[in-house]
Amino acid sequence: MATVAKANPQPVPPRTFGTSREDLNPYRIAQLQFDIAAEHLKLDPGLRQVLRTPKRIMEVAIPTKMDNGQLKVFTGFRVQHNIARGPAKGGMRYHPGVTLDEVKALASWMTWKTATVNIPYGGGKGGVICDPKRMSKPELERMTRRFLSEILPIIGPDKDIPAPDVYTDAQTMAWMMDTYSMTLGATSLGVVTGKPVSLGGSLGRNEATARGCLFVTEEACKVKKISLRGATVAIQGFGNAGAIAARLFAEKKAKIIAVSDSRGGVHSSRGIDPMKALRYKERTGTVVGMPGTSRISNEELLALKCDILIPAALENCITLENADQIKAKIVAEAANGPTTPHADEVLARKGIFLLPDILANAGGVTVSYFEWAQNLQGYFWEEHEVNAKLEKVIKKAFYDVYEAARKYHVHNRTGAYILAVGRVADATMVRGLFP
Ligand code: NAD
């Protein structure tokens, strides 16, 4: 670790956010999280500037023919935050609320995440401002192919490797891989991860984010002396991360008492069967209305009395406004950026054990790394091998973070940032400045 300093008191985030409300801009939040760690590490001011700023930002116009014959121009972004430790790596988000600042934040969180789990990547992220729920599959395919083609000069298996994120999936990755390969004139499996298994994807990748979240929660339960068997779990967001987490936690005999999606949530103190919830959502488009449950709002879900709360949707759901109402003993952040820095302080004061996003959802990028490694060597692993390697990486990262937090007398998020920022700072210094 670079320039490790003595234990410091936790610096309180500066209240320069305005008088009554927090600044919820995700990029400024990401920079604040970095600044807190940089302060602990006593990083050189010049190095801080390098590490807190994205290396490269690309904004593109994506003209797309819609099914009704009209042309629509979407806006897309790809941000490479840092590549000191390896190629940029990070998902692609399709959502009407995508902004450049959100993509910049997500890209920097990827830099710290890959460093937390110590895999040889930097951080990147992409997004398109669009409403995929209102687009047909052919429209999504045309938009995806044109988007990839626009950002193609900065993408590649040793430059920047996209993956799925909110409202993108294995099919999206297949189109991206095909577009890149057709342009290149050769099949390039390693250009994206999260591909279908029939197209060079890795066994275990689909479940990896949720499985990693389970692995770190298991260790947190040991620390907090909570039995996962019978523990009550509330999950916000019922997509790749949230729905699969519900299944994996239920397999460990935890009781899923609430789940939600963008349309609202459902609660049952007797427990919700995740497979039934999934089938119900597949049929109706939402978990809301599932038989045997009562309806609750996303806000009520977050405030439920439970052992484990898993935010698995979008940013800024635990803020200064509701942090005091959180009653969970463990918060495992499957989503990126669900908790603001001020809310972090409130949770820490309440003794809540936080598993920060850059650790708790790093299972996804870890198995993406395994997928990429399998693609580059052209030799594929069994699913149990993938899961065993994931467990090893994630559990080591958990204890690295836990130790850093104890050493510096900080909460786990800052512990994770100290670990990650130290590793990236080290790599940056040892590489030196070009030219
Ligand atoms: P997804 O598209 O599969 O699912 C998103 C879910 O969130 C859906 O159920 C949707 O209905 C719900 N949702 C959307 N807006 C909501 C709102 N306002 N309130 C409540 N629920 C809402 O996406 P995903 O891949 O599961 O990603 C979820 C989170 O996990 C994101 O923060 C993402 O960045 C993070 N993440 C995903 C991966 C991955 O491998 N997919 C890896 C690391 C982190």
Side-chain angles (χ1 to χ4, degrees), residues 93 165 167 205 209 238-241 261-262 298 312-313 334-336 361:
R93 180 170 292 193
D165 190 72
Y167 299 151
R205 172 61 184 90
T209 303
F238 206 66
N240 176 283
D261 57 37
S262 59
N298 267 293
N336 283 306
N361 69 35

Side-chain angles (χ1 to χ4, degrees), residues 14-202:
R15 283 191 174 266
T16 50
F17 297 154
T19 45
S20 59
R21 285 179 55 83
E22 283 174 285
D23 183 347
L24 298 181
N25 178 300
Y27 183 51
R28 284 196 291 274
I29 287 176
Q31 289 194 316
L32 178 57
Q33 290 162 334
F34 165 81
D35 289 342
I36 293 170
E39 200 56 40
H40 279 287
L41 290 166
K42 301 198 187 315
L43 287 190
D44 166 80
L47 185 57
R48 284 187 205 202
Q49 277 182 55
V50 172
L51 299 184
R52 79 198 295 275
T53 317
K55 173 191 167 53
R56 180 181 283 138
I57 295 171
M58 193 173 205
E59 177 176 331
V60 294
I62 312 164
T64 303
K65 191 131 174 223
M66 306 308 277
D67 290 344
N68 64 8
Q70 281 178 355
L71 197 68
K72 199 164 170 182
V73 180
F74 296 94
T75 301
F77 309 102
R78 186 72 191 173
V79 174
Q80 296 167 350
H81 174 257
N82 189 287
I83 57 163
R85 300 176 66 258
K89 183 87 191 82
M92 292 290 204
R93 180 170 292 193
Y94 289 178
H95 194 277
V98 164
T99 62
L100 178 56
D101 271 358
E102 181 186 51
V103 180
K104 282 158 73 177
L106 289 160
S108 71
W109 289 329
M110 286 306 298
T111 301
W112 313 129
K113 191 183 302 181
T114 55
T116 299
V117 287
N118 212 0
I119 55 178
Y121 283 138
K125 203 83 180 190
V128 178
I129 307 169
C130 65
D131 192 350
K133 289 184 183 172
R134 292 167 177 271
M135 293 170 72
S136 69
K137 195 170 172 184
E139 287 171 342
L140 282 169
E141 175 171 358
R142 290 192 290 271
M143 185 189 77
T144 298
R145 287 184 180 280
R146 184 60 186 253
F147 175 42
L148 202 280
S149 136
E150 293 294 343
I151 60 169
L152 198 129
I154 63 167
I155 297 292
D158 50 9
K159 288 189 199 167
D160 184 355
I161 306 131
D165 190 72
V166 174
Y167 299 151
T168 57
D169 57 16
Q171 175 62 78
T172 324
M173 294 306 115
W175 292 328
M176 288 188 175
M177 174 269 176
D178 183 65
T179 304
Y180 182 85
S181 297
M182 294 310 284
T183 312
L184 199 71
T187 293
S188 172
L189 292 180
V191 65
V192 295
T193 59
K195 299 181 292 297
V197 172
S198 58
L199 194 66
S202 176

Side-chain angles (χ1 to χ4, degrees), residues 313-385:
L314 297 172
E315 296 94 69
N316 293 334
C317 66
I318 305 176
T319 66
L320 208 46
E321 309 243 310
N322 65 351
D324 211 29
Q325 291 156 34
I326 306 294
K327 298 175 194 74
K329 296 176 186 142
I330 295 170
V331 174
E333 295 184 332
N336 283 306
T339 313
T340 62
H342 283 106
D344 275 345
E345 300 302 317
V346 177
L347 299 188
R349 258 203 320 273
K350 284 164 66 90
I352 295 172
F353 195 91
L354 180 93
L355 290 162
D357 48 5
I358 60 172
L359 170 69
N361 69 35
V365 74
T366 303
V367 177
S368 272
Y369 164 53
F370 297 160
E371 177 176 332
W372 178 75
Q374 292 170 79
N375 292 158
L376 297 189
Q377 68 183 350
Y379 180 74
F380 288 82
W381 309 339
E382 305 279 338
E383 188 165 357
H384 67 88
E385 289 177 82

